[in-house]
């Protein structure tokens, strides 16, 4: 439970993001960043995406956002940090990799948070509310058990047979949350 304290004077920012469910344990994974696992009951802390590379390798100098000096994440002038979208609309603008084992939800961000055009890059993050698609639960009922480990509300988002519209389903889910 280290690092899982929110300073009293700082209200976490709540933003939106996607996760995918890990195959074996059903826990949340990032879609990028080597599918990093989000541990239940433990804040995820950002690491610079370039921490594990050989910074003297000249080829990295051509990578967008690369910074030669090691630094805590997120940093201005780099692209590191835990990403989340400012709104569901902004999140929808991102590419969906297929809805199989996809989770969408809200995430609390705190520590150092760098705002961007559509969202944020944060130092610390933890899920705040999760929405799982009905089809995912139907295929694997154990998913709800796995997600209960995060001790946050989990909503089941219905998907209509045949024509499944993720946007429509999400809009409905969001309405039920906002109410
Ligand atoms: Zn960085």
């Amino acid at each position: 439970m280290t690092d899982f304290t929110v300073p009293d004077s700082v209200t976490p920012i709540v933003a939106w993001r996607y996760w995918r469910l890990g195959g074996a344990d059903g826990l949340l994974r990032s879609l990028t960043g080597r599918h990093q696992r989000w541990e239940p009951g433990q804040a995820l802390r950002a690491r610079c995406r370039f921490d594990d590379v050989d910074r003297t390798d000249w080829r990295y100098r051509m990578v967008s956002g690369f910074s030669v000096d090691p630094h805590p994440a997120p940093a201005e002038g780099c692209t590191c940090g835990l990403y989340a979208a400012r709104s569901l609309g902004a999140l929808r603008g991102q590419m969906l990799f297929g809805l199989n084992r996809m989770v969408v939800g809200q995430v609390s961000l705190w520590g150092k948070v760098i705002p961007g055009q559509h969202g944020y890059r944060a130092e610390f993050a933890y899920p705040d509310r999760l929405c799982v698609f009905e089809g995912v639960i139907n295929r694997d009922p154990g998913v709800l058990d796995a997600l209960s480990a995060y001790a946050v509300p989990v909503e089941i988002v219905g998907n209509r047979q045949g024509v499944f519209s993720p946007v429509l389903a999400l809009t409905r889910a969001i309405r039920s949350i906002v109410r």
Side-chain angles (χ1 to χ4, degrees):
M1 295 291 282
T2 52
D3 293 331
F4 193 51
T5 45
V6 181
D8 289 339
S9 58
V10 177
T11 307
I13 293 167
V14 179
W16 292 90
R17 62 170 290 136
Y18 292 119
W19 291 271
R20 66 182 292 276
L21 296 166
D25 54 23
L27 296 178
L28 300 175
R29 300 287 200 287
S30 295
L31 297 182
T32 54
R34 294 171 200 156
H35 306 300
Q36 183 170 33
R37 188 163 78 174
W38 292 54
E39 302 293 340
Q42 194 179 317
L44 187 61
R45 181 171 202 165
R47 291 180 69 234
C48 180
R49 58 189 291 213
F50 298 113
D51 272 0
D52 297 328
V53 307
D54 174 8
R55 286 169 188 269
T56 61
D57 186 331
W58 62 272
R59 286 172 297 184
Y60 282 107
R61 291 167 196 274
M62 293 193 240
V63 175
S64 162
F66 176 68
S67 158
V68 177
D69 301 318
H71 51 256
E76 289 85 359
C78 193
T79 54
C80 53
L82 302 166
Y83 281 70
R86 198 180 301 274
S87 65
L88 190 64
L91 184 66
R92 276 188 215 146
Q94 294 179 11
M95 177 87 80
L96 265 177
F97 296 93
L99 285 161
N100 190 31
R101 299 188 71 78
M102 243 5 219
V103 176
V104 64
Q106 290 183 293
V107 61
S108 296
L109 310 173
W110 69 97
K112 183 174 182 182
V113 178
I114 299 178
Q117 191 182 356
H118 299 296
Y120 307 94
R121 294 187 284 132
E123 182 181 3
F124 294 105
Y126 192 78
D128 187 63
R129 185 180 288 268
L130 302 170
C131 302
V132 191
F133 294 100
E134 196 174 43
V136 176
I137 307 289
N138 291 344
R139 281 190 296 274
D140 182 1
V143 163
L144 282 182
D145 262 356
L147 292 181
S148 70
Y150 293 96
V152 298
V154 178
E155 318 254 340
I156 298 172
V157 182
N159 30 4
R160 295 288 167 90
Q161 278 188 327
V163 279
F164 171 56
S165 159
V167 172
L168 202 62
L170 288 177
T171 307
R172 284 201 201 96
I174 299 338
R175 284 211 193 98
S176 72
I177 289 170
V178 171
R179 253 200 315 265

